[in-house]
Amino acid sequence: TPMSSLEESSVSWRFTLLKGGVAKSEKESDTGKIEYTRYSPPPGARQDIQIIGITTNTLEKLQGTWPLPWGYYSNIIKIFQNTNNNQLMFDIFFVDYKHGQTEQMVSSLRGNKGVLFDYPMETSTESKEEVINLEERVKVLRKFLLKYVIDKKDSMAGWVKFAVPPIEQIGSLASGLGFANIKKDESGLNRKMPMLVRLNHNG
């Protein structure tokens, strides 16, 4: 309706105003390709986070296709293994068993205790039986259980049904695990990122 559209526009404008806008600058190569994009973060944003992005150019240089073999990620972990002050966080799901590649990741993780991974939460139980060794993965995930969380509005309940953590060989060597899901508004827009969810894998 016109009123709901007006309300959505108002909310979007307020979010833009509160985050201070985003200043962006780009550098082009001689061929016209974007070499990099630099964003000016709002005041208070952390300055010590660097993103290692995988782009179409990355795939072309590696002569590979998506998903990339895990050996590339294993090499990155090894490069950082002697930098004690750094933490690596992979925004890539390691939820499948891959012969040979799993062993590469395990070997590199044993030499680096500062690597974190994310994983998906499923919002229905349709595919639960298809996940291999789910209970073993959940046992690993319980190491990172948050206790004594107060949720007076019960905002964490009834959203997700079950987690699909990384395979246990990788999850057990991680320094941290966290879910990657977003929770869109009723309008379908993504304005907020939930920090917590509540799960009952026994139910």
Side-chain angles (χ1 to χ4, degrees), residues 11 23 26 31 51 53 87-88 92 128 143 151 158 163 186 199 201-202:
V11 172
E26 294 179 337
T31 61
I51 297 176
Q87 293 280 326
L88 280 174
I92 296 169
K128 188 173 183 178
K143 293 193 307 181
D151 183 27
E186 292 181 0
L199 284 175
H201 263 270
N202 296 321

Side-chain angles (χ1 to χ4, degrees), residues 36-195:
Y36 66 80
T37 302
R38 176 176 292 144
Y39 293 91
S40 298
R46 292 184 58 159
Q47 302 291 319
D48 58 345
I49 298 175
Q50 300 292 326
I51 297 176
I52 303 173
I54 300 174
T55 65
T56 302
N57 289 342
T58 305
L59 296 176
E60 290 176 353
K61 289 180 180 179
L62 296 177
Q63 296 181 341
T65 57
W66 186 259
L68 289 172
W70 290 359
Y72 291 114
Y73 310 130
S74 175
N75 289 338
I76 293 174
I77 294 171
K78 290 177 181 177
I79 290 172
F80 279 85
Q81 67 184 10
N82 295 320
T83 54
N84 296 327
N85 295 326
N86 285 309
Q87 293 280 326
L88 280 174
M89 190 276 172
F90 282 90
D91 188 18
I92 296 169
F93 299 152
F94 293 86
V95 296
D96 299 311
Y97 297 89
K98 298 187 178 183
H99 181 67
Q101 299 183 50
T102 299
E103 289 75 10
Q104 285 180 304
M105 287 292 293
V106 168
S107 176
S108 60
L109 286 169
R110 283 179 176 153
N112 191 332
K113 302 302 181 183
V115 186
L116 304 92
F117 298 93
D118 65 6
Y119 58 89
M121 295 277 196
E122 296 295 334
T123 55
S124 73
T125 58
E126 292 180 4
S127 60
K128 188 173 183 178
E129 299 301 322
E130 300 175 7
V131 181
I132 301 173
N133 294 337
L134 178 58
E135 287 307 315
E136 293 300 317
R137 303 186 197 194
V138 172
K139 286 179 182 178
V140 174
L141 183 61
R142 287 196 176 103
K143 293 193 307 181
F144 306 100
L145 175 70
L146 295 176
K147 299 180 179 179
Y148 314 117
V149 177
I150 299 174
D151 183 27
K152 293 181 179 180
K153 296 182 179 180
D154 205 28
S155 60
M156 294 182 288
W159 173 39
V160 293
K161 301 302 181 184
F162 72 99
V164 185
I167 58 176
E168 63 272 22
Q169 295 94 324
I170 291 177
S172 61
L173 294 171
S175 62
L177 297 175
F179 70 96
N181 297 57
I182 61 174
K183 188 179 182 183
K184 294 183 178 181
D185 295 344
E186 292 181 0
S187 64
L189 296 175
N190 173 33
R191 295 191 180 101
K192 294 183 287 187
M193 178 69 191
M195 302 302 292

